[in-house]
Amino acid sequence: MSLEPTINDDITAALPELRRQAESMMTLTLAAYSPTGLTKDADGYDIPTFTFEGQTFGKVQAGAQAGGDTPTRYIKIGGTDRPVLASGLHIPITAKIPNPGEERGQVGGAWEYVVLAVGSDADLALLGRRYMVVSVPVKSYATARRLDVIELEV
């Protein structure tokens, strides 16, 4: 008895190549940081402290969202509404899963990624930009991890 291949079999077979293609477009070097608490600065203000979680390759995918070019979701950080970049940061599917922090509503409540280096085809203006993870969507047959982020002021 022979079983005919299903569409799921075809997708599963193609997935490794699709992941390689997705990762080949990740030309940014990102440093990942997880929050460890708060400390006081010289003026007595609470500032978040972070632990370095390593580096990964990645890609920033900002801008237009599903049929429009305006954000559909905002979160409040320090009293300011910030647009959420849906699927705004792409990292390899094998990278550590970052901790999102939208529920905390403040800087220092979630993992952050800082752009350390850009590839030859990337915009130099990305250097030094910081992104805070607000959610980590999941899906079947993923070729990359697409994180919902907000861009933080530098």
Side-chain angles (χ1 to χ4, degrees), residues 6-133:
T6 66
I7 185 77
N8 287 346
D9 295 331
D10 294 340
I11 293 170
T12 301
L15 200 54
E17 176 58 25
L18 295 172
R19 284 185 180 149
R20 277 190 291 280
Q21 289 176 16
E23 289 177 8
S24 74
M25 294 185 289
M26 296 180 190
T27 60
L28 303 178
T29 301
L30 304 169
Y33 297 90
S34 64
T36 56
L38 296 171
T39 189
K40 300 273 186 199
D41 69 6
D43 296 320
Y45 292 105
D46 285 336
I47 57 169
T49 56
F50 293 90
T51 297
F52 177 65
E53 294 289 345
Q55 293 181 359
T56 187
F57 292 107
K59 168 183 159 183
V60 173
Q61 184 76 36
Q65 298 184 14
D69 61 358
T70 57
T72 57
R73 187 168 130 217
Y74 290 83
I75 64 170
K76 192 173 289 287
I77 302 288
T80 302
D81 286 330
R82 302 258 184 193
V84 172
L85 306 175
S87 296
L89 195 61
H90 299 193
I91 60 174
I93 198 75
T94 55
K96 284 172 90 171
I97 296 176
N99 179 41
E102 180 176 355
E103 70 279 353
R104 303 207 182 190
Q106 61 185 8
V107 175
W111 275 41
E112 293 184 14
Y113 286 90
V114 178
V115 180
L116 297 182
V118 297
S120 59
D121 294 336
D123 185 349
L124 288 174
L126 288 168
L127 282 174
R129 299 235 179 164
R130 288 176 44 214
Y131 298 92
M132 185 177 84
V133 178

